[in-house]
Structure formats: structure tokens, C-alpha cells
Tab-separated table of all heavy atoms in Angstrom:
chain	number	residue	atom	x	y	z
E	26	ASN	N	0.847	-1.197	0.000
E	26	ASN	CA	0.000	0.000	0.000
E	26	ASN	C	0.882	1.246	0.000
E	26	ASN	O	2.117	1.155	-0.053
E	26	ASN	CB	-0.958	0.003	1.201
E	26	ASN	CG	-0.220	-0.105	2.531
E	26	ASN	OD1	0.858	0.454	2.713
E	26	ASN	ND2	-0.814	-0.851	3.466
E	27	SER	N	0.268	2.404	0.082
E	27	SER	CA	1.014	3.661	-0.006
E	27	SER	C	2.045	3.803	1.109
E	27	SER	O	3.174	4.259	0.883
E	27	SER	CB	0.047	4.859	0.033
E	27	SER	OG	-0.778	4.874	-1.102
E	28	GLU	N	1.663	3.385	2.335
E	28	GLU	CA	2.573	3.542	3.470
E	28	GLU	C	3.758	2.596	3.371
E	28	GLU	O	4.902	2.977	3.625
E	28	GLU	CB	1.824	3.342	4.788
E	28	GLU	CG	1.038	4.562	5.232
E	28	GLU	CD	1.927	5.791	5.396
E	28	GLU	OE1	2.846	5.757	6.241
E	28	GLU	OE2	1.719	6.773	4.660
E	29	SER	N	3.502	1.333	3.048
E	29	SER	CA	4.620	0.392	2.931
E	29	SER	C	5.522	0.775	1.759
E	29	SER	O	6.738	0.557	1.805
E	29	SER	CB	4.100	-1.037	2.776
E	29	SER	OG	3.380	-1.200	1.567
E	30	PHE	N	4.936	1.340	0.733
E	30	PHE	CA	5.713	1.808	-0.414
E	30	PHE	C	6.615	2.962	-0.004
E	30	PHE	O	7.822	2.966	-0.271
E	30	PHE	CB	4.748	2.214	-1.526
E	30	PHE	CG	5.397	2.682	-2.799
E	30	PHE	CD1	6.567	2.109	-3.264
E	30	PHE	CD2	4.801	3.688	-3.561
E	30	PHE	CE1	7.153	2.542	-4.452
E	30	PHE	CE2	5.371	4.120	-4.749
E	30	PHE	CZ	6.553	3.545	-5.184
E	31	ARG	N	6.061	3.952	0.695
E	31	ARG	CA	6.852	5.121	1.101
E	31	ARG	C	7.966	4.734	2.064
E	31	ARG	O	9.089	5.238	1.971
E	31	ARG	CB	5.954	6.180	1.753
E	31	ARG	CG	6.691	7.479	2.094
E	31	ARG	CD	5.749	8.535	2.630
E	31	ARG	NE	5.379	8.303	4.010
E	31	ARG	CZ	6.109	8.709	5.060
E	31	ARG	NH1	7.246	9.355	4.875
E	31	ARG	NH2	5.704	8.474	6.289
E	32	HIS	N	7.664	3.827	3.002
E	32	HIS	CA	8.667	3.436	3.996
E	32	HIS	C	9.607	2.345	3.488
E	32	HIS	O	10.525	1.940	4.206
E	32	HIS	CB	7.985	2.977	5.283
E	32	HIS	CG	7.422	4.097	6.099
E	32	HIS	ND1	6.112	4.534	5.977
E	32	HIS	CD2	7.998	4.903	7.026
E	32	HIS	CE1	5.910	5.539	6.809
E	32	HIS	NE2	7.041	5.792	7.453
E	33	CYS	N	9.351	1.864	2.279
E	33	CYS	CA	10.190	0.836	1.664
E	33	CYS	C	10.314	-0.397	2.565
E	33	CYS	O	11.386	-0.971	2.729
E	33	CYS	CB	11.586	1.398	1.344
E	33	CYS	SG	12.460	0.454	0.076
E	34	ASN	N	9.189	-0.797	3.157
E	34	ASN	CA	9.183	-1.987	4.018
E	34	ASN	C	8.133	-2.999	3.583
E	34	ASN	O	7.686	-3.833	4.378
E	34	ASN	CB	8.993	-1.598	5.485
E	34	ASN	CG	7.690	-0.851	5.738
E	34	ASN	OD1	6.841	-0.729	4.846
E	34	ASN	ND2	7.518	-0.342	6.957
E	35	PHE	N	7.716	-2.943	2.314
E	35	PHE	CA	6.762	-3.912	1.793
E	35	PHE	C	7.460	-5.270	1.605
E	35	PHE	O	8.684	-5.347	1.503
E	35	PHE	CB	6.174	-3.430	0.457
E	35	PHE	CG	7.205	-3.053	-0.572
E	35	PHE	CD1	7.741	-3.986	-1.435
E	35	PHE	CD2	7.635	-1.722	-0.682
E	35	PHE	CE1	8.692	-3.644	-2.393
E	35	PHE	CE2	8.581	-1.365	-1.631
E	35	PHE	CZ	9.108	-2.327	-2.476
E	36	ARG	N	6.669	-6.322	1.544
E	36	ARG	CA	7.216	-7.659	1.340
E	36	ARG	C	7.661	-7.805	-0.117
E	36	ARG	O	6.898	-7.541	-1.032
E	36	ARG	CB	6.155	-8.718	1.684
E	36	ARG	CG	6.585	-10.160	1.419
E	36	ARG	CD	7.656	-10.618	2.377
E	36	ARG	NE	8.137	-11.949	2.036
E	36	ARG	CZ	7.621	-13.088	2.524
E	36	ARG	NH1	6.579	-13.049	3.358
E	36	ARG	NH2	8.146	-14.258	2.180
E	37	GLU	N	8.905	-8.209	-0.294
E	37	GLU	CA	9.440	-8.434	-1.632
E	37	GLU	C	9.718	-9.925	-1.816
E	37	GLU	O	10.521	-10.512	-1.089
E	37	GLU	CB	10.729	-7.637	-1.836
E	37	GLU	CG	11.408	-7.850	-3.182
E	37	GLU	CD	10.630	-7.265	-4.350
E	37	GLU	OE1	10.642	-6.024	-4.517
E	37	GLU	OE2	10.004	-8.062	-5.082
E	38	TYR	N	9.027	-10.545	-2.776
E	38	TYR	CA	9.230	-11.962	-3.062
E	38	TYR	C	10.215	-12.181	-4.209
E	38	TYR	O	10.826	-13.252	-4.306
E	38	TYR	CB	7.897	-12.629	-3.439
E	38	TYR	CG	6.882	-12.659	-2.325
E	38	TYR	CD1	5.949	-11.634	-2.189
E	38	TYR	CD2	6.838	-13.713	-1.413
E	38	TYR	CE1	4.999	-11.651	-1.176
E	38	TYR	CE2	5.898	-13.747	-0.394
E	38	TYR	CZ	4.980	-12.713	-0.281
E	38	TYR	OH	4.043	-12.747	0.723
E	39	GLY	N	10.339	-11.216	-5.094
E	39	GLY	CA	11.123	-11.408	-6.305
E	39	GLY	C	12.563	-10.951	-6.171
E	39	GLY	O	12.961	-10.306	-5.195
E	40	ASP	N	13.368	-11.295	-7.172
E	40	ASP	CA	14.767	-10.863	-7.211
E	40	ASP	C	15.047	-10.099	-8.507
E	40	ASP	O	16.054	-10.319	-9.177
E	40	ASP	CB	15.721	-12.055	-7.075
E	40	ASP	CG	15.535	-13.115	-8.157
E	40	ASP	OD1	14.684	-12.910	-9.054
E	40	ASP	OD2	16.231	-14.141	-8.111
E	41	PHE	N	14.131	-9.184	-8.828
E	41	PHE	CA	14.230	-8.453	-10.088
E	41	PHE	C	14.547	-6.965	-9.906
E	41	PHE	O	15.007	-6.320	-10.845
E	41	PHE	CB	12.913	-8.581	-10.869
E	41	PHE	CG	12.532	-10.007	-11.157
E	41	PHE	CD1	11.574	-10.659	-10.385
E	41	PHE	CD2	13.135	-10.705	-12.190
E	41	PHE	CE1	11.225	-11.968	-10.637
E	41	PHE	CE2	12.787	-12.018	-12.456
E	41	PHE	CZ	11.837	-12.661	-11.681
E	42	ALA	N	14.318	-6.417	-8.720
E	42	ALA	CA	14.383	-4.965	-8.546
E	42	ALA	C	15.798	-4.407	-8.552
E	42	ALA	O	15.994	-3.230	-8.884
E	42	ALA	CB	13.679	-4.557	-7.251
E	43	ASN	N	16.777	-5.214	-8.182
E	43	ASN	CA	18.151	-4.692	-8.122
E	43	ASN	C	19.173	-5.693	-8.648
E	43	ASN	O	20.335	-5.684	-8.247
E	43	ASN	CB	18.512	-4.281	-6.689
E	43	ASN	CG	18.503	-5.455	-5.727
E	43	ASN	OD1	18.130	-6.571	-6.093
E	43	ASN	ND2	18.916	-5.214	-4.491
E	44	GLN	N	18.731	-6.572	-9.551
E	44	GLN	CA	19.625	-7.578	-10.108
E	44	GLN	C	19.774	-7.387	-11.613
E	44	GLN	O	18.903	-6.826	-12.272
E	44	GLN	CB	19.080	-8.981	-9.815
E	44	GLN	CG	19.026	-9.319	-8.333
E	44	GLN	CD	20.404	-9.293	-7.689
E	44	GLN	OE1	21.340	-9.918	-8.174
E	44	GLN	NE2	20.537	-8.531	-6.602
E	45	PRO	N	20.882	-7.877	-12.192
E	45	PRO	CA	21.107	-7.695	-13.627
E	45	PRO	C	20.213	-8.577	-14.484
E	45	PRO	O	19.754	-9.637	-14.051
E	45	PRO	CB	22.583	-8.079	-13.800
E	45	PRO	CG	22.884	-8.972	-12.655
E	45	PRO	CD	22.040	-8.490	-11.515
E	46	PHE	N	19.975	-8.119	-15.701
E	46	PHE	CA	19.197	-8.836	-16.699
E	46	PHE	C	20.103	-9.117	-17.907
E	46	PHE	O	21.008	-8.327	-18.212
E	46	PHE	CB	18.005	-7.999	-17.174
E	46	PHE	CG	16.795	-8.057	-16.283
E	46	PHE	CD1	16.874	-7.743	-14.935
E	46	PHE	CD2	15.555	-8.401	-16.808
E	46	PHE	CE1	15.760	-7.771	-14.125
E	46	PHE	CE2	14.425	-8.433	-16.007
E	46	PHE	CZ	14.519	-8.132	-14.658
E	47	GLU	N	19.852	-10.220	-18.578
E	47	GLU	CA	20.441	-10.427	-19.892
E	47	GLU	C	19.704	-9.526	-20.875
E	47	GLU	O	18.516	-9.228	-20.689
E	47	GLU	CB	20.333	-11.889	-20.319
E	47	GLU	CG	21.096	-12.842	-19.414
E	47	GLU	CD	22.584	-12.505	-19.336
E	47	GLU	OE1	23.178	-12.224	-20.414
E	47	GLU	OE2	23.139	-12.496	-18.224
E	48	SER	N	20.393	-9.088	-21.918
E	48	SER	CA	19.773	-8.093	-22.793
E	48	SER	C	20.209	-8.279	-24.235
E	48	SER	O	21.253	-8.877	-24.531
E	48	SER	CB	20.134	-6.683	-22.320
E	48	SER	OG	21.543	-6.506	-22.313
E	49	SER	N	19.396	-7.759	-25.140
E	49	SER	CA	19.713	-7.757	-26.568
E	49	SER	C	19.042	-6.555	-27.205
E	49	SER	O	18.085	-5.992	-26.673
E	49	SER	CB	19.244	-9.052	-27.240
E	49	SER	OG	17.839	-9.201	-27.114
E	50	MET	N	19.539	-6.161	-28.362
E	50	MET	CA	19.055	-4.955	-29.034
E	50	MET	C	18.763	-5.272	-30.492
E	50	MET	O	19.559	-5.925	-31.175
E	50	MET	CB	20.118	-3.858	-28.935
E	50	MET	CG	19.749	-2.532	-29.579
E	50	MET	SD	21.052	-1.283	-29.332
E	50	MET	CE	22.357	-1.945	-30.384
E	51	GLY	N	17.600	-4.814	-30.967
E	51	GLY	CA	17.253	-4.905	-32.377
E	51	GLY	C	17.331	-3.547	-33.026
E	51	GLY	O	17.921	-2.609	-32.482
E	52	LYS	N	16.689	-3.410	-34.175
E	52	LYS	CA	16.750	-2.148	-34.904
E	52	LYS	C	16.073	-1.024	-34.139
E	52	LYS	O	16.559	0.114	-34.117
E	52	LYS	CB	16.097	-2.310	-36.275
E	52	LYS	CG	16.189	-1.070	-37.153
E	52	LYS	CD	15.599	-1.300	-38.525
E	52	LYS	CE	15.723	-0.057	-39.396
E	52	LYS	NZ	15.141	-0.259	-40.744
E	53	ASN	N	14.938	-1.321	-33.491
E	53	ASN	CA	14.221	-0.289	-32.744
E	53	ASN	C	13.647	-0.832	-31.448
E	53	ASN	O	12.650	-0.343	-30.959
E	53	ASN	CB	13.094	0.319	-33.597
E	53	ASN	CG	12.461	1.534	-32.940
E	53	ASN	OD1	13.159	2.412	-32.426
E	53	ASN	ND2	11.135	1.584	-32.922
E	54	HIS	N	14.273	-1.863	-30.893
E	54	HIS	CA	13.746	-2.389	-29.640
E	54	HIS	C	14.885	-2.959	-28.787
E	54	HIS	O	15.956	-3.306	-29.297
E	54	HIS	CB	12.691	-3.476	-29.899
E	54	HIS	CG	13.265	-4.754	-30.433
E	54	HIS	ND1	13.448	-4.977	-31.769
E	54	HIS	CD2	13.699	-5.870	-29.788
E	54	HIS	CE1	13.965	-6.172	-31.959
E	54	HIS	NE2	14.135	-6.746	-30.768
E	55	ILE	N	14.609	-3.022	-27.481
E	55	ILE	CA	15.529	-3.625	-26.514
E	55	ILE	C	14.750	-4.688	-25.757
E	55	ILE	O	13.585	-4.470	-25.385
E	55	ILE	CB	16.076	-2.597	-25.502
E	55	ILE	CG1	16.569	-1.333	-26.192
E	55	ILE	CG2	17.184	-3.197	-24.665
E	55	ILE	CD1	16.826	-0.185	-25.230
E	56	THR	N	15.380	-5.812	-25.504
E	56	THR	CA	14.766	-6.881	-24.721
E	56	THR	C	15.656	-7.198	-23.526
E	56	THR	O	16.871	-7.362	-23.667
E	56	THR	CB	14.573	-8.150	-25.565
E	56	THR	OG1	13.719	-7.858	-26.674
E	56	THR	CG2	13.938	-9.264	-24.734
E	57	PHE	N	15.018	-7.257	-22.352
E	57	PHE	CA	15.704	-7.652	-21.125
E	57	PHE	C	15.037	-8.920	-20.593
E	57	PHE	O	13.804	-9.000	-20.547
E	57	PHE	CB	15.611	-6.558	-20.057
E	57	PHE	CG	16.281	-5.261	-20.438
E	57	PHE	CD1	15.543	-4.199	-20.941
E	57	PHE	CD2	17.644	-5.100	-20.278
E	57	PHE	CE1	16.144	-3.007	-21.284
E	57	PHE	CE2	18.267	-3.902	-20.627
E	57	PHE	CZ	17.515	-2.858	-21.125
E	58	VAL	N	15.831	-9.890	-20.168
E	58	VAL	CA	15.298	-11.157	-19.649
E	58	VAL	C	16.059	-11.536	-18.385
E	58	VAL	O	17.292	-11.445	-18.334
E	58	VAL	CB	15.438	-12.296	-20.682
E	58	VAL	CG1	14.890	-13.598	-20.100
E	58	VAL	CG2	14.726	-11.950	-21.975
E	59	ARG	N	15.303	-11.956	-17.375
E	59	ARG	CA	15.936	-12.517	-16.178
E	59	ARG	C	15.214	-13.794	-15.778
E	59	ARG	O	13.993	-13.794	-15.569
E	59	ARG	CB	15.928	-11.536	-15.010
E	59	ARG	CG	16.533	-12.147	-13.738
E	59	ARG	CD	16.712	-11.132	-12.614
E	59	ARG	NE	17.144	-11.779	-11.394
E	59	ARG	CZ	18.388	-12.172	-11.125
E	59	ARG	NH1	19.348	-11.955	-12.014
E	59	ARG	NH2	18.685	-12.769	-9.987
E	60	ASN	N	15.958	-14.869	-15.672
E	60	ASN	CA	15.452	-16.117	-15.113
E	60	ASN	C	15.762	-16.097	-13.630
E	60	ASN	O	16.835	-16.525	-13.191
E	60	ASN	CB	16.111	-17.318	-15.806
E	60	ASN	CG	15.638	-17.480	-17.230
E	60	ASN	OD1	14.440	-17.622	-17.480
E	60	ASN	ND2	16.558	-17.429	-18.184
E	61	GLY	N	14.820	-15.539	-12.881
E	61	GLY	CA	15.015	-15.360	-11.449
E	61	GLY	C	14.103	-16.240	-10.638
E	61	GLY	O	13.842	-17.393	-11.000
């Protein structure tokens, strides 16, 4: 909710917010993938 968001104390289940992604680039697009 708004309060947990502001205080940065919400429950985090994933490992995507601060981890690297594999990436590739096309003519006009970028793709990022993470097997987390």
C-alpha cells in the first residue's frame, strides 16, 4: 500500500528490482530477460 511503499518496508518476493538482466538490441527495440 502507499505507506509500505513510502517506507520501503513492503514484502518483496522477487529478485528483479536490483539484479542484472540479460539483454539484446534490435533495430528499434531492446529486450531484457531474467530467469530469477
Side-chain angles (χ1 to χ4, degrees):
N26 57 37
S27 295
E28 280 302 298
S29 65
F30 182 36
R31 185 175 77 85
H32 285 93
C33 201
N34 60 7
F35 53 88
R36 176 69 185 269
E37 177 69 75
Y38 295 92
D40 58 2
F41 302 101
N43 63 354
Q44 296 299 308
F46 277 55
E47 297 302 316
S48 59
S49 61
M50 181 177 70
K52 184 177 181 180
N53 189 45
H54 71 272
I55 312 167
T56 300
F57 297 98
V58 179
R59 177 172 174 79
N60 290 302

